């Protein structure tokens, strides 16, 4: 058992006894792991402040692949994301990002591309790089692609003709004729916007414009797509809490 260093994004923390904490963390080099920080709640080193959800930190830990709980040594901020914590909307979408990671990533298997995507989207939310809901859709689409559930936005799942507008039905997108107009609708503009979001880089997101109608269509489509394809993901609780606060 040796001392290791890695970058990590804190997903959740739990109290363990009167003095310790368990931290669930998505790390660059070890995937999703749980660590125990012994005595941290009474420590004079102020390490507990680093271990709050959403924080991106550099961690020192004693790692053993045969053990379920790794041993936390110390941490420091990689990126503190201070601006996120000043806005209910930023905070809610950031919690939604780490909620999706927590619910879709299993096991201690590193995935540098997914880790970088998660870190970059949190950084973009923190730095106001475009509308937050579009940043979140960008993350959702990229996550689906990395997990092997990328939606086919270009061709009808039945007749294979090019999609102009579409209906989402039974987990797939169909043209109007093949779906008999049933299912969740995506207008021409909404489908076109999804294709753009799926293709562009994160720095291009501020250039995109969206109407209230398109926002509702795309948001509902992605919600239902995740619900259908990802087991146990009926809703994203962080966004529901935000809606209840702001409405």
């Amino acid at each position: 058992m040796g001392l290791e260093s890695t970058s990590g994004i804190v997903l959740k923390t739990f109290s363990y006894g009167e003095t310790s904490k368990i931290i669930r963390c998505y790390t660059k080099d070890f995937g999703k792991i749980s660590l125990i920080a012994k005595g941290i709640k009474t420590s004079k080193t102020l390490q507990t402040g680093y271990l709050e959800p959403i924080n991106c930190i550099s961690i020192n830990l004693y790692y053993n692949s045969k053990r379920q709980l790794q041993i936390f040594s110390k941490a420091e901020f990689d990126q503190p994301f201070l601006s996120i914590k000043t806005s209910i909307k930023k905070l809610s979408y950031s919690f939604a990002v780490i909620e999706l990671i927590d619910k879709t990533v299993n096991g201690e298997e590193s995935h540098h591309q997914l880790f970088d995507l998660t870190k970059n989207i949190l950084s973009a939310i923190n730095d106001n790089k475009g509308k937050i809901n579009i940043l979140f859709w960008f993350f959702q689409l990229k996550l689906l692609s990395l997990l092997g559930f990328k939606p086919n936005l270009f061709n009808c799942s039945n007749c294979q003709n090019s999609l102009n507008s579409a209906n989402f039905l039974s987990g797939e997108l169909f043209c109007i004729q093949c779906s008999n107009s049933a299912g969740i609708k995506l207008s021409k503009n909404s489908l076109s916007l999804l294709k753009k979001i799926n293709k562009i880089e994160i720095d291009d997101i501020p250039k995109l414009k969206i109407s209230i109608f398109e926002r509702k269509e795309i948001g509902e489509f992605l919600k239902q797509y995740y619900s259908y394809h990802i087991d146990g993901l009926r809703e994203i609780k962080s966004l529901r809490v935000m809606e209840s606060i702001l409405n």
Side-chain angles (χ1 to χ4, degrees):
M1 180 178 66
L3 184 64
E4 304 278 359
S5 298
T6 189
S7 295
I9 297 165
V10 181
L11 304 177
K12 285 187 177 182
T13 61
F14 311 89
S15 289
Y16 186 77
E18 295 183 358
T19 62
S20 302
K21 278 188 174 184
I22 291 175
I23 308 102
R24 189 147 71 231
C25 196
Y26 185 53
T27 68
K28 186 163 189 172
D29 299 301
F30 304 108
K32 189 169 74 172
I33 60 174
S34 293
L35 307 98
I36 183 165
K38 296 179 180 179
I40 197 166
K41 291 198 285 186
T42 57
S43 171
K44 295 180 180 179
T45 61
L46 303 179
Q47 285 283 303
T48 191
Y50 297 116
L51 305 179
E52 296 301 320
I54 301 171
N55 284 347
C56 185
I57 55 178
S58 297
I59 317 167
N60 287 352
L61 68 153
Y62 292 96
Y63 181 80
N64 185 333
S65 60
K66 297 179 181 178
R67 200 171 48 203
Q68 287 188 329
L69 270 180
Q70 309 305 326
I71 299 175
F72 171 84
S73 175
K74 66 177 182 177
E76 59 184 31
F77 282 124
D78 184 346
Q79 286 185 258
F81 300 135
L82 296 177
S83 177
I84 285 176
K85 295 158 189 176
T86 65
S87 161
I88 291 176
K89 192 170 184 180
K90 285 184 179 183
L91 196 60
S92 298
Y93 274 102
S94 298
F95 268 112
V97 167
I98 63 172
E99 183 180 337
L100 280 181
I101 290 295
D102 197 24
K103 289 182 176 179
T104 58
V105 174
N106 296 307
E108 297 181 11
E109 189 172 318
S110 65
H111 194 316
H112 287 191
Q113 192 175 357
L114 180 52
F115 179 85
D116 290 341
L117 169 66
T118 308
K119 181 179 176 180
N120 290 341
I121 208 69
L122 290 173
S123 180
I125 292 172
N126 184 74
D127 297 340
N128 299 303
K129 290 185 178 178
K131 291 186 178 295
I132 297 177
N133 55 331
I134 301 180
L135 286 168
F136 185 63
W137 297 339
F138 175 90
F139 172 75
Q140 286 183 294
L141 287 169
K142 298 299 183 186
L143 177 59
L144 285 169
S145 180
L146 292 173
L147 294 174
F149 294 104
K150 182 179 180 179
N152 180 359
L153 303 173
F154 296 91
N155 302 98
C156 172
S157 291
N158 183 47
C159 68
Q160 300 303 312
N161 286 337
S162 295
L163 289 172
N164 187 28
S165 57
N167 287 332
F168 177 67
L169 188 67
S170 301
E172 304 292 342
L173 286 172
F174 297 88
C175 65
I176 305 303
Q177 290 75 19
C178 289
S179 63
N180 294 318
S181 297
I184 296 169
K185 301 185 187 306
L186 279 175
S187 65
K188 178 180 179 180
N189 287 345
S190 295
L191 187 59
S192 176
L193 188 57
L194 273 169
K195 292 175 182 176
K196 288 179 183 177
I197 295 170
N198 199 40
K199 182 173 65 173
I200 63 175
E201 298 297 326
I202 195 168
D203 290 336
D204 296 322
I205 288 177
K207 301 174 186 176
L208 296 178
K209 306 296 181 185
I210 183 170
S211 70
I212 294 175
F213 178 75
E214 291 155 2
R215 184 177 66 193
K216 289 181 178 178
E217 278 198 339
I218 293 172
E220 184 61 21
F221 162 68
L222 286 171
K223 176 183 175 182
Q224 295 301 326
Y225 193 93
Y226 265 87
S227 177
Y228 188 92
H229 288 280
I230 307 295
D231 288 341
L233 192 61
R234 300 290 302 172
E235 65 175 351
I236 300 172
K237 294 179 182 178
S238 305
L239 297 184
R240 177 169 55 80
V241 170
M242 180 187 70
E243 290 168 358
S244 67
I245 293 172
L246 296 180
N247 289 340

